[in-house]
Amino acid sequence: MQPKELLALAEEYGNPLFVYDASIIEQQYNRLTAAFSKVEKLRINYAMKALSNLSILKLLKKCGSGLDTVSYQEVQLGLHAGFTPDKIIFTPNGVSFEEIEEVAQLGVQINIDNLSVLEHFGAKYPAVPVCIRINPHVMAGGNQNISVGHIDSKFGISIYQIPHILRIVENTGMHINGIHMHTGSDILDIEVFLYAAEILFDAAKQFKQLDFLDFGSGFKVPYKKGDIETNIEELGKKLSKRFLAFEKDYGRSLTLAFEPGKFLVSEAGFFLAKVNVVKQTTSTVFAGIDSGFNHLIRPMFYGSQHTIENISNPKGKERFYTVVGYICETDTFANNRRIAEINEGDILCFKNAGAYCFSMASNYNSRYKPAEVLWKDGKGHLISKRETFEDLIKNQIVLEF
Ligand SMILES: *Cc1c(COP(=O)(O)O)cnc(C)c1O
């Protein structure tokens, strides 16, 4: 999107503001499906925890996406957006058995990542097909080495516990219809992804009634110069070939599934905030904006570096700024970053603000969550309103003293 278009939206809807460019989401979805076009049955389940606005869900539904959900409430949102239960997969971690039961009763595919839950579920509902989440214990080590560490991850059933799984399946007569892995941010490059995939293929051979293999996500998008971007086209080529060979071996047609969040929505998002103060100190120049980790926590939470542009003065001479928020805590977005000269009142634009930004926003310091706008066909559409004072107090029961 052009700085002018973004500025006009900030003018119209106020700031801080989240803007999502629909065409980037569609483009990323199409890139992914094109990369795997050789696979007959491909299924993309958007990991909605990245950005769960109903209009975004509807947009992805129109693209042909399914949904990956992690809570009963996300399933409800998905159904509300018009997804049918068969288009939703539930991949929780550490939720109660009752929650899994409730989701299964809706007809949603469940994915179990714990032996005790698998045993309990299999004993109670042997007829309900279940996917199992495997932890392949693969991570990218230094120098692009592949290590089989990460033994302590809380996610998935260890690949070393396959014999236990098989015993549970035999004892309960349950039906395992899918095998899943999601190694998240451990996956840094294609070789590591393919290495982990081999482990999954190997595990899959032990289950005779599979309908799908789910390779999760972990696709990278660049946040700053020099960042790795998953070469999805190359991964598509290599993994498709391997998948087709596996399918032949396995003797049964399978669906290949992925569940990207970041890849689909990160780059579509722009976060716009106004500079309240420029503060010169003896060591740096602070630019203080009308936001903080209440709206965008990733820089403080993960140390992620969002590119920041001054869209009010895009051609200005670059200077060094430390961009901070207005929260009464340390909330640094960027340290000594080169940004076009900033004046009080300027609007800064944070890139890659689609994934895990609004969805992690809170009301800390009793601030309102920002509005969200979808940019589609050259026009801005409000898709969630800025909160109001009423929102802050609506659940409170006030005692008088
Ligand atoms: C969060 C999550 C994803 C999406 O991860 P991204 O890095 O956003 O692509 C996929 N699958 C599961 C199970 C997740 O928890």
Side-chain angles (χ1 to χ4, degrees), residues 20 25 29 45 58 92 107 136 172 183 185 188 199 229-230 233 246 264-265 267 275 287 292 324 327 345 368 394 400:
Y20 312 114
I25 297 176
Y29 186 88
N45 294 318
K58 282 180 183 278
T172 58
T183 35
S185 51
L188 286 172
I199 295 179
E229 174 177 20
T230 302
E233 288 72 24
F246 176 81
L264 293 177
V265 299
E267 291 162 300
V275 177
V324 294
I327 292 293
Y368 307 143
K394 67 178 178 225
E400 302 294 347

Side-chain angles (χ1 to χ4, degrees), residues 50-248:
L51 176 63
S52 48
N53 184 284
L54 289 168
S55 300
I56 300 291
L57 300 186
K58 282 180 183 278
L59 178 70
L60 277 152
K61 179 173 173 286
K62 185 160 170 277
C63 290
S65 185
L67 279 189
D68 179 62
T69 59
V70 294
S71 68
Y72 184 80
Q73 291 73 17
E74 281 195 352
V75 173
Q76 281 181 304
L77 281 169
L79 294 172
H80 195 72
F83 287 87
T84 48
D86 62 308
K87 287 283 195 184
I88 305 177
I89 179 163
F90 183 54
T91 307
N93 174 265
V95 306
S96 72
F97 189 76
E98 291 72 27
E99 185 169 343
I100 294 176
E101 280 181 307
E102 281 173 40
V103 172
Q105 273 154 15
L106 294 171
V108 167
Q109 171 75 50
I110 59 167
N111 191 356
I112 291 182
D113 90 330
N114 182 319
L115 285 175
S116 68
V117 174
L118 187 71
E119 188 158 28
H120 191 177
F121 194 89
K124 202 162 171 188
Y125 306 100
V128 177
V130 164
C131 173
I132 42 176
R133 178 172 184 173
I134 298 289
N135 179 356
H137 300 300
V138 170
M139 66 187 292
N143 304 325
Q144 310 215 319
N145 289 325
I146 298 168
S147 70
V148 188
H150 224 245
I151 209 96
D152 287 336
S153 165
K154 72 164 185 165
F155 299 102
I157 301 174
S158 168
I159 193 75
Y160 304 116
Q161 291 175 313
I162 295 269
H164 292 64
I165 300 174
L166 291 170
R167 213 173 309 134
I168 291 170
V169 171
E170 195 179 343
N171 289 344
T172 58
M174 71 191 300
H175 172 189
I176 303 298
N177 68 339
I179 302 242
H180 167 275
M181 72 168 192
H182 169 65
T183 35
S185 51
D186 298 338
I187 297 287
L188 286 172
D189 61 38
I190 291 178
E191 292 317 310
V192 184
F193 200 106
L194 292 171
Y195 183 86
E198 282 311 316
I199 295 179
L200 201 78
F201 284 130
D202 220 41
K205 281 189 219 147
Q206 322 228 15
F207 299 88
K208 303 297 175 212
Q209 294 181 291
L210 297 180
D211 298 319
F212 65 96
L213 297 186
D214 188 331
F215 289 91
S217 176
F219 303 145
K220 293 280 161 281
V221 295
Y223 276 72
K224 58 178 192 313
K225 273 207 185 81
D227 273 2
I228 292 177
E229 174 177 20
T230 302
N231 184 337
I232 212 77
E233 288 72 24
E234 189 187 338
L235 179 69
K237 217 181 263 170
K238 292 184 169 165
L239 186 60
S240 299
K241 193 165 162 219
R242 188 60 192 88
F243 179 79
L244 294 180
F246 176 81
E247 219 177 8
K248 217 174 201 175

Side-chain angles (χ1 to χ4, degrees), residues 320-344:
F320 286 94
Y321 294 95
T322 294
V323 180
V324 294
Y326 60 10
I327 292 293
C328 291
E329 294 217 27
T330 302
D331 55 352
T332 306
F333 291 105
N335 244 318
N336 283 317
R337 195 77 79 72
R338 285 178 88 100
I339 300 172
E341 182 163 359
I342 297 175
N343 292 294
E344 291 177 356

Side-chain angles (χ1 to χ4, degrees), residues 3-54:
K4 272 209 183 98
E5 296 166 338
L6 290 166
L7 274 179
L9 292 175
E11 183 83 15
E12 183 174 357
Y13 297 101
N15 36 271
L17 183 71
F18 281 98
V19 177
Y20 312 114
D21 183 340
S23 69
I24 297 180
I25 297 176
E26 290 162 336
Q27 189 183 310
Q28 289 294 90
Y29 186 88
N30 294 336
R31 251 183 89 190
L32 193 53
T33 49
F36 290 91
S37 58
K38 292 237 160 51
V39 174
E40 197 183 322
K41 292 192 280 182
L42 179 71
R43 172 85 178 261
I44 309 296
N45 294 318
Y46 167 55
M48 66 173 281
K49 72 180 191 288
L51 176 63
S52 48
N53 184 284
L54 289 168

